[in-house]
Structure formats: C-alpha cells, structure tokens
Amino acid sequence: MTNSNSIAKHSDAPAMIQMRHVEKWYGDFHALKNIDLTVATGEKIVLCGPSGSGKSTLIRCINHLETIQSGEIIVNGHRLTDSQAAVDAVRQEVGMVFQQFNLFPHKTVMENCILAPMRVHKLSRAQAEKTAQKYLERVHIGDQAHKHPAQLSGGQQQRVAIARALCMEPKAMLFDEPTSALDPEMVKEVLDTMISLARDGMTMICVTHEMGFARQVADRVIFMANGEIVEENDPESFFSAPKHERTRAFLGEILAHH
Amino acid sequence: MGTQELSYLLLGLSWTLGLTAIGFAGGIPFGIGIALMRVSSNNWLRRPAMAWIGLFQGTPLLMQLFVAYFGLPLLGFNLPAWAAVAIALTAHASSFLGEIWRGAIQAITKGQTEAALALGLPDRSRMFDVILPQAFKISLPATVGFLVQLLKGTSLAAIVGFIELTRAGNIVSNQLYRPLLVFGVVGAMYFAMCWPLSWWGRKLEQSMSKGANK
Ligand SMILES: Nc1ncnc2c1ncn2[C@@H]1O[C@H](COP(=O)(O)OP(=O)(O)OP(=O)(O)O)[C@@H](O)[C@H]1O
Ligand SMILES: [Mg+2]
C-alpha cells in the first residue's frame, strides 16, 4: 500500500501541530469534542465533513482565532494557552487562507503582501517587496502587483491571498475551503498552487471537499461530524474502504455532486 | 450696504470658518479616540466613551457653550473666550464624529480583522493600516455632512460674545435698518460655504455606492 508509506514518511518528523483533548464551546453548543490531532512537520492533512461539523472551528483554534475551553494546542513548540507572546509567535509561523480571500481592498496586491513582513518582521520596504515579488511569481501573478484586489478574478485573488501568507515564510499553512467561493473554471488554478506548495514540503491542513486534491496530496484524510473526529486514514483507504456509516453517507453525497 | 459693512460681515465669516476649523481640528483626534474606545472590548474604555457620546449628543450645543464659557471659570479655569468655545466645539464634534466613525469601523467585515490577526499584525497596525483607512473612506459622506452641521452650529457662539457671521449680520442690520438685505447677504454666504460641502458629500456617497455595486 503506497499510502501507508506516506504516513510512515512523516512519522519520525517532529510534530508541527499537536491538539490534545481539545474542547470548544460556543455558549452551550459543544463545537469540538475531545479533539486529538498531531500533524507532523511536512505532513498534509485534508479535513472534510458535513456543514457545521466543526472543521473551520478546528483550524481556527490552531492560530487562536477561536479560543478553547480545555485541552492544549502546541504549534511548533509554542503552547497556545500560555501567553499573548505564544499567540503572536504562532500567528507569525502559521499562514491562513480563507474562503472569502479577505484581501485588504484598499491596498494593492504588492501592499497586501508587504504589510505584515514590514510590520511584524520589520523588513525594509525594498526587502519586503523583493520577497513579495518572488512569491507572487510563484503563484503566477507577478505581473499584477500594482493592481487592487477588485481588479482581479476570484482565482487570482485567492492566489494573492496564498502569496500574502507565504511572504511571512510560514512553517505551516491552514486552508479553509479555499476554492468553494470560486467559479468552477478557477478552482484548478488555486488547487495547482496548493499542490505545488505541498510538493515543496509545506505542512498543510486543508478543509476542502475537493477529493481529487485529497487523493493527490493528502497524507491523511480526516472526517469530522458533530464536532468529533470520526475517522482518519490515508486517502486510498479512506475513499475505497470507509469504516463508518457516516463517512460512507458523506462520501456518497460528495461523489453524487461531482 | 457699503464696503465697510461688507468687510464687517466678511470678518464675521472668517470667524465662522475659524470656529468650524477649530471644532473640526479638535474633533478629529478626540473623535478617533472616542471611536476606538467605543469599539474596545474593555469596559473601562468602552463605557466612558458611551457616556461621553450620550452627554454631548444628548444636550444642546448652546448649553455646552454656556457651560464651557461660564461654568469652567467657576471651577477655577480662567480661559479666554475662544478657548472656552474651542473646548465646547471639540467636545461636541468629538462625540458626533466618534459615533460616525464607530459605525464605520464596525461596518468593516470581520474577515478583514481575521486576516490581519492571522498574519500576526500587531493591534496598532491592524487598526491603522487595515481597519481605519477603510472605515475613513466609508464614513466620508457622513463626516462631511457633520462638517456642514458644525459650520452652521458655530452661529451659537454668538451667545458668548463671538462676532461670527450671524452676529455680525445682526449688528450690521441694526445699523442699516435693512434686515432683509443684510440677512439675504448673510444667508448667501452660508449657502456659498455649505452647499459645495453638501454637494461633495453627495458625490462621495454616489461614487461609493457605485463602487460597492461593481
Ligand atoms: N461564533 C459562533 N457562535 C456560535 N456558534 C458558532 C460560531 N461559529 C460556529 N458556530 C457553530 O459551530 C458549529 C461548527 O461550525 P464550523 O464553522 O466550524 O463548521 P464547518 O464544519 O466549518 O461547517 P461549513 O462546512 O459550513 O463551513 C456550527 O454548528 C456553527 O453553527
Ligand atoms: Mg467552515
């Protein structure tokens, strides 16, 4: 089985992200239930599950956009509950890409990319622009640097968002349904960018229902329902032999739509 | 009406502009402060800002001018008239601008804040590089609208002895016994200041709704 190799491939690597017994409540709604998840350095995880199952909540806890009520989260050695300093460190080391892009509309593509490196890493404008140009070219958008986000297509905007995150030279990337706000013809250009990132060894957690992408890059596919991790496996086994009834029902629905 | 009367009115007009400028110049920094306190999650910042807004929006500007001019000296602050008026206008403007800008800040989507947080931007940068420039833009029409209100509101400073445009008109009219003519001229002067501002505010509003539909 080729895919058990890919798990073995990362099993010796130090953990990049560890979640232990994580519990998250929104008021009296139990959004994450006893989440245990370790992501090795260089590992690529695809997270899927029905709407409302807690996928976004889970990855948003990792960079502290959401706070947890109990358990612990350690990212690249920083324990998230410790202090604001730990939160700052984690946010500098973990990039995030949102479904709605969330580019800064009043800034050009270049300005979007250089803001955080200048404010956080205190790079000079020239240094920051050099890095930004490198990553904009990497996502094949180097010639659009002077434009404002509204002048770009959705697929281009999402690639800018990826470049903006990369400019901070993150150790890991979180993607929250990066292609679901896109017109179908633009999905591929964004997935291709993510695939190339994966090839270069980036640690990634992707919430997505793009099963082709999952097969191609994921080391593990994780299925969530009702705030719990129901099942996880390498993509081959996950798709061909789902163990749980809920997983089978979910996959049946996804495949019916594609 | 001779040149002497006209230049007297123009002097009044320059005071009107000056008082407006003072109120606006004071209102901007304090208004930003009030708006930022008002959106803070800290009760000790948010509550005083709410009280400030309630106090100065809930009482007439005329009363605020009285209190600043007659009340502050009673408390031992001996201020020249222009300083008392500047304080009252600043307090008044900061409460209205603060509330306008608070609304604009809260209209900036949660996604913008989250993108800034996820990038690790410090709080200052998140506010001044990301949120405030966008909030400033969408609040411009309302801000310009308030500027027009403030300009007209400065006529109340006559009550504490300021010879601004309205008061100057009163004096000239009493000398010439031609109130219709004099106040016609005074009205035209207000109109010449306010109308272009209102026009600009409308223009900004239109161009913004066009931008939003794009
Ligand atoms: N800020 C919040 N306050 C209250 N409840 C929330 C909040 N955010 C999310 N929830 C609830 O938590 C549950 C999990 O939400 P979450 O966004 O993580 O789901 P998801 O798996 O990402 O779903 P989707 O596929 O629709 O994006 C949902 O039932 C949602 O209604
Ligand atoms: Mg979600």
Side-chain angles (χ1 to χ4, degrees):
Chain A
M1 244 171 47
T2 54
N3 275 291
S4 49
N5 287 337
S6 67
I7 291 182
K9 184 174 76 186
H10 297 292
S11 60
D12 303 334
M16 178 64 72
I17 297 165
Q18 288 169 282
M19 301 178 85
R20 290 201 204 110
H21 308 301
V22 168
E23 305 281 347
K24 163 76 184 169
W25 297 77
Y26 289 113
D28 47 17
F29 178 75
H30 203 171
L32 293 180
K33 300 170 187 163
N34 193 25
I35 298 292
D36 270 299
L37 174 64
T38 302
V39 181
T41 303
E43 200 179 8
K44 292 107 187 80
I45 306 277
V46 161
L47 192 56
C48 62
S51 182
S53 56
K55 308 178 295 293
S56 300
T57 305
L58 189 153
I59 65 168
R60 290 159 58 84
C61 287
I62 294 171
N63 63 353
H64 208 69
L65 288 184
E66 304 287 352
T67 52
I68 61 175
Q69 275 71 47
S70 74
E72 65 175 358
I73 301 176
I74 302 171
V75 182
N76 199 26
H78 308 287
R79 190 181 309 265
L80 260 178
T81 35
D82 272 351
S83 62
Q84 186 60 39
V87 172
D88 290 342
V90 166
R91 285 177 177 164
Q92 289 174 32
E93 292 171 18
V94 177
M96 185 173 231
V97 174
F98 301 86
Q99 183 174 352
Q100 300 297 341
F101 327 140
N102 294 347
L103 293 174
F104 305 134
H106 60 301
K107 292 185 173 291
T108 64
V109 165
M110 179 56 82
E111 289 164 349
N112 265 274
C113 290
I114 63 176
L115 179 61
M118 286 174 67
R119 293 287 187 264
V120 179
H121 291 157
K122 311 285 182 207
L123 295 190
S124 71
R125 176 174 288 265
Q127 285 172 309
E129 284 185 348
K130 196 160 154 251
T131 314
Q133 193 61 37
K134 178 175 89 184
Y135 286 115
L136 286 170
E137 267 153 32
R138 168 108 206 255
V139 302
H140 306 296
I141 210 155
D143 51 345
Q144 314 280 342
H146 58 285
K147 290 192 180 168
H148 279 84
Q151 296 168 278
L152 302 180
S153 74
Q156 290 174 318
Q157 290 189 49
Q158 194 59 298
R159 283 183 285 142
V160 171
I162 294 173
R164 177 176 71 177
L166 292 177
C167 285
M168 288 295 285
E169 316 269 5
K171 303 258 180 10
M173 288 280 285
L174 309 171
F175 293 85
D176 194 354
E177 306 207 35
T179 58
S180 44
L182 296 177
D183 293 335
E185 70 269 20
M186 292 169 188
V187 169
K188 185 170 178 299
E189 65 190 56
V190 171
L191 289 180
D192 284 345
T193 305
M194 292 166 64
I195 290 168
S196 107
L197 205 55
R199 295 259 153 82
D200 287 358
M202 178 64 77
T203 308
M204 294 164 63
I205 302 184
C206 311
V207 176
T208 180
H209 294 157
E210 294 291 337
M211 294 305 148
F213 172 81
R215 279 178 193 274
Q216 214 174 330
V217 310
D219 298 306
R220 265 190 294 164
V221 181
I222 294 179
F223 175 73
M224 284 184 78
N226 293 329
E228 286 174 296
I229 293 180
V230 174
E231 178 163 356
E232 56 173 278
N233 220 326
D234 61 87
E236 201 53 42
S237 324
F238 182 85
F239 292 114
S240 60
K243 285 181 283 222
H244 289 260
E245 180 50 40
R246 294 217 54 171
T247 319
R248 281 195 286 274
F250 174 76
L251 286 175
E253 241 170 72
I254 288 285
L255 295 176
H257 282 132
H258 279 68
Chain B
M1 187 158 46
T3 49
Q4 204 191 339
E5 285 83 13
L6 198 62
S7 63
Y8 194 70
L9 289 183
L10 286 173
L11 191 67
L13 182 144
S14 69
W15 268 112
T16 292
L17 285 175
L19 289 173
T20 308
I22 288 173
F24 210 58
I28 287 174
F30 284 95
I32 290 176
I34 291 291
L36 290 179
M37 286 167 70
R38 184 64 183 74
V39 299
S40 161
S41 53
N42 183 338
N43 280 339
W44 292 101
L45 294 172
R46 202 175 61 243
R47 295 250 168 82
M50 289 167 76
W52 182 269
I53 291 169
L55 181 65
F56 289 100
Q57 292 200 0
T59 53
L61 175 58
L62 186 62
M63 197 203 88
Q64 294 159 17
L65 287 163
F66 264 131
V67 170
Y69 186 71
F70 297 110
L72 288 179
L74 291 181
L75 294 176
F77 299 101
N78 268 316
L79 298 167
W82 69 266
V85 171
I87 288 172
L89 288 176
T90 294
H92 178 79
S94 68
S95 75
F96 278 87
L97 291 173
E99 186 68 359
I100 288 170
W101 295 336
R102 173 202 62 80
I105 289 170
Q106 291 181 337
I108 304 303
T109 63
K110 202 162 145 251
Q112 292 289 304
T113 298
E114 290 181 348
L117 290 175
L119 283 167
L121 287 178
D123 292 350
R124 271 183 71 89
S125 168
R126 174 164 48 89
M127 263 302 161
F128 286 91
D129 293 321
V130 177
I131 306 296
L132 288 183
Q134 297 184 63
F136 175 74
K137 193 174 164 217
I138 61 173
S139 72
L140 257 185
T143 303
V144 172
F146 174 72
L147 185 58
V148 173
Q149 295 302 318
L150 184 68
L151 192 148
K152 291 189 277 191
T154 56
S155 62
L156 295 171
I159 210 76
V160 296
F162 261 94
I163 305 180
E164 44 61 66
L165 184 52
T166 303
R167 179 99 178 97
N170 231 330
I171 292 169
V172 171
S173 149
N174 285 345
Q175 286 172 351
L176 297 183
Y177 302 110
R178 297 188 59 187
L180 269 184
L181 171 71
V182 173
F183 281 105
V185 171
V186 166
M189 287 177 169
Y190 273 113
F191 186 78
M193 292 185 287
C194 293
W195 191 81
L197 281 174
S198 299
W199 178 84
W200 182 44
R202 266 199 311 280
K203 197 88 189 146
L204 287 169
E205 195 149 15
Q206 279 164 8
S207 73
M208 245 167 250
S209 62
K210 222 178 285 158
N213 292 335
K214 194 169 57 185

